[in-house]
Amino acid sequence: MPVNLTAPDPATLLPVPGVRLGVTMAGVRKANRRDLTVIALDEGAAVAGVFTTNRFCAAPVQVCREHLAAGAAIRALVINTGNANAGTGADGLARARQTCEALAGLIGCQPQQVLPFSTGVIMETLPVDRIAAGLPGALAALQPANWGEAAAGIMTTDTLPKAASRRITLGGVPVTLTGISKGAGMIRPNMATMLGFVATDANIAPALLQPLVKEAADASFNRITIDGDTSTNDCFLLIASRQAQHAEITSLDSADAKTLRDALIALSQELAQAIVRDGEGATKFIAITIEGGRDEAECKLAAYAIAHSPLVKTAFFASDPNLGRILAAVGYAGITDLDQGLIDLHLDDVHVVTRGGRRPEYREEDGQRVMKQSEITIRVGLNRGTASATVWTCDLSHDYVTINADYRS
Amino acid sequence: MPVNLTAPDPATLLPVPGVRLGVTMAGVRKANRRDLTVIALDEGAAVAGVFTTNRFCAAPVQVCREHLAAGAAIRALVINTGNANAGTGADGLARARQTCEALAGLIGCQPQQVLPFSTGVIMETLPVDRIAAGLPGALAALQPANWGEAAAGIMTTDTLPKAASRRITLGGVPVTLTGISKGAGMIRPNMATMLGFVATDANIAPALLQPLVKEAADASFNRITIDGDTSTNDCFLLIASRQAQHAEITSLDSADAKTLRDALIALSQELAQAIVRDGEGATKFIAITIEGGRDEAECKLAAYAIAHSPLVKTAFFASDPNLGRILAAVGYAGITDLDQGLIDLHLDDVHVVTRGGRRPEYREEDGQRVMKQSEITIRVGLNRGTASATVWTCDLSHDYVTINADYRS
């Protein structure tokens, strides 16, 4: 059961001029599943992305990096579910390239102008023949209005599609941003998560896309975790079709760039948080804010230690205010000179700990009341500086174990 | 259900001359539980320990460090379950000191000659009055043969007591080592684990105890993990009563020192592995060996990444050879220049991965056969050096969630 998340209303998903999407059934792993998605980009589009830092990154991730580095204009993305094409060695790389070649042949471009994405089981051979056979069907289905279909087409253990749009005004002209994401387990993105795609028609200089996508990922996908497992296939991609009729944005310091950046970050956060809300077995959505740190890095250390602690996560599942587990996690987070005598802890509005010890005024029933909510904020004060950081996570329930013990069956 | 672990046979637990143990019911958290243990040491005993690196370390850990640093001869240890006295601020420190004062008054020594230990729920007030009231009963029960009772007396969520002995010969004289440990959850020791105690009557120079206990902890308790949560209360203590009638050991390079060290490491590993075998919800005992690393540190990084991955642990629970999850964990372990094209993976005798990809000869039924065992070795070859490291862990089951969602109720 996703936590306060519903399927997107198709009417709210705005087409992005210059971007068309098509989904089909290719039988990648099982028959009768919509498992192959193509996103076609008009000429003139620019693309930038961030990718997993997992050293066992999947073959398609390696090919994406190569093709983006080659600098040729990207004309299409091809995304399959059911198979991650990771842990597949040299053969997997060859199959990722064959996928690009097949699509390039059909749409009349170079293979380097295609980006491949895969998600699913690791260490199995990619059935490139079935994917190639499915491509004509995906191309025949291409439509600008297919964002909802694409969001559904890239799901694996997700229970709901994840998609959202924003509309802003740049230079007096309406500009659209629409994005989709997927993911529910193996989620601790370390550049971005498999898979997030945001497209806009903003007319922005291509060189500005990479810093923008990095900033958006750092503020969204790089702030979520479900189980601490950084996937082999994480990708977050920003597409600008550049068809909006405002003056080109050439500096990130301009007012228009700021408007675009704010909308992009808000959209990315919504898509990233949707992944947590749909986290495997999740029953609660938990925001963890660390304040008063010396720098953001130590705040993130403490926030992730809490977010990854199985003991904290099971306590939240049980609505049991066994909050000492939070202190223990802060203690082992790796802040080597931390003074426990300075620590504060709030659970929403309930002040639980002061100076490293339980407040005499704290009553367990107040903690219990907050723990029973489906949306909870944990706020820890380190009281040694002015930096802060927030990450988002979910609880650890029986269903997480069930889902991951049964994933392949 | 513990994994291939049974309660120790009392006949195999050898008394250590100079060490007496007594257990009683003090009603620390609940009535009618044997929750208070005293270990009394004859004059002449030497003690060294290693303690949690958790910065939110418990009050008794802080007091232990102080008392050991003060250098006065330790005459007694006092251990309560039911309450960790952690996250209790200045008040908790005062209560740990009061416990030492109460016991010192009863046995006629200074409070600095007493070491306090607590284990149980975090962030609750230690009932020092009930502990003090229980001390005379524990003292009245003191016996050299009470190691089994003490092993049971320090249990919390453990399902079985953990104790073992070794007998060696030093300088022609029989020498005994006997130890106990407890722990089943919040286990990722980072110096040692709460609680391990080993005593010997070996006549060893007190200055040699600290390097010995450190080496033993690094080879045993510092190589296990259940859930990655480093406790606030971890302690591993080595006691030498020094009553054996062989010539004093004055150098770690001597043959007798080596005999003692080997027995100590073997005993410590048995006690540490017993904690994993009794891990909360454990159904499998898993040894993870990383070979061919540039140094031991990177081997441990990869081993712990595998050992902490909820996805790997749930796959082992399900006996599902979804082994790509192991590759993913190696990939995000933090070895930043890892070349996935060099990686080998064995599951016991089954060679699964070569050069970063699945071996064509690998058959899923072979992986499945190993996964169904209760004892499994994962062996990863990095093929970039000659260092290696092994850690021990267990799987992640429904019972882990149940136990930790219900722990306080």
Side-chain angles (χ1 to χ4, degrees), chain B residues 38-59:
Chain B
V38 171
I39 303 180
L41 311 181
D42 284 2
E43 256 187 269
V47 175
V50 288
F51 298 90
T52 182
T53 56
N54 193 313
R55 294 298 300 171
F56 235 103
C57 64

Side-chain angles (χ1 to χ4, degrees), chain A residues 37 56 63 95 105 130 177 180 212 298 303 311 321-322 338 342:
Chain A
T37 299
F56 235 104
V63 172
R95 287 168 188 268
R130 295 205 288 279
L177 297 92
I180 57 177
L212 258 189
E298 71 177 30
L311 291 171
N322 193 340
L338 187 75
L342 299 177

Side-chain angles (χ1 to χ4, degrees), chain A residues 135-206:
Chain A
L135 287 173
L139 291 174
L142 286 175
Q143 292 291 345
N146 272 350
W147 283 95
E149 286 76 2
I154 63 174
M155 290 166 60
T156 53
T157 58
D158 308 62
T159 68
L160 285 175
K162 299 161 183 75
S165 289
R166 292 285 190 284
R167 180 150 282 168
I168 56 177
T169 302
L170 298 180
V173 170
V175 168
T176 302
L177 297 92
T178 296
I180 57 177
S181 63
K182 63 86 36 182
M186 199 176 266
I187 297 293
R188 194 260 162 104
N190 200 353
M191 271 312 282
T193 192
M194 180 71 180
L195 300 163
F197 302 96
V198 170
T200 177
D201 57 338
N203 181 14
I204 180 164

Side-chain angles (χ1 to χ4, degrees), chain A residues 26-52:
Chain A
V28 174
R29 182 172 176 80
K30 300 193 179 176
N32 300 315
R33 291 199 181 173
R34 299 165 68 78
D35 55 9
L36 184 64
T37 299
V38 170
I39 304 181
L41 310 182
D42 283 1
E43 258 188 86
V47 176
V50 287
F51 298 90
T52 183

Side-chain angles (χ1 to χ4, degrees), chain B residues 58-204:
Chain B
V61 169
Q62 299 175 62
V63 173
C64 272
R65 285 195 178 115
E66 278 177 26
H67 288 188
L68 284 172
I74 301 301
R75 296 304 306 276
L77 285 50
V78 51
I79 309 152
N80 73 271
T81 62
N83 186 310
N85 194 12
T88 47
D91 178 65
L93 267 178
R95 288 168 187 268
R97 293 192 213 288
Q98 286 159 25
T99 304
C100 296
E101 286 158 14
L103 182 52
L106 289 170
I107 63 174
C109 70
Q110 297 299 310
Q112 289 74 17
Q113 296 179 277
V114 176
L115 299 181
F117 304 85
S118 297
T119 178
V121 182
I122 299 173
M123 225 178 72
E124 308 225 337
T125 302
L126 186 76
V128 68
D129 49 341
R130 295 205 289 280
I131 290 173
L135 287 173
L139 291 175
L142 287 175
Q143 292 290 344
N146 272 349
W147 284 96
E149 287 76 2
I154 63 174
M155 288 167 60
T156 55
T157 57
D158 307 63
T159 68
L160 285 175
K162 299 161 184 75
S165 290
R166 291 285 189 286
R167 181 150 281 168
I168 56 176
T169 301
L170 298 181
V173 170
V175 168
T176 303
L177 298 92
T178 297
I180 57 177
S181 63
K182 63 87 36 182
M186 200 175 267
I187 297 293
R188 193 259 163 106
N190 199 355
M191 272 313 283
T193 191
M194 181 70 181
L195 298 164
F197 301 97
V198 170
T200 178
D201 56 339
N203 181 13
I204 180 165

Side-chain angles (χ1 to χ4, degrees), chain A residues 286-320:
Chain A
I286 305 165
I288 303 168
T289 296
I290 311 293
E291 302 171 332
R294 290 211 184 121
D295 53 35
E296 191 183 42
E298 71 177 30
C299 294
K300 285 168 84 172
L301 271 183
Y304 274 114
I306 296 168
H308 290 146
S309 161
L311 291 171
V312 170
K313 291 166 94 81
T314 49
F316 275 82
F317 169 54
S319 302
D320 176 6

Side-chain angles (χ1 to χ4, degrees), chain A residues 107-119:
Chain A
I107 63 175
C109 70
Q110 297 300 309
Q112 289 73 19
Q113 296 180 278
V114 176
L115 298 181
F117 304 84
S118 296
T119 179

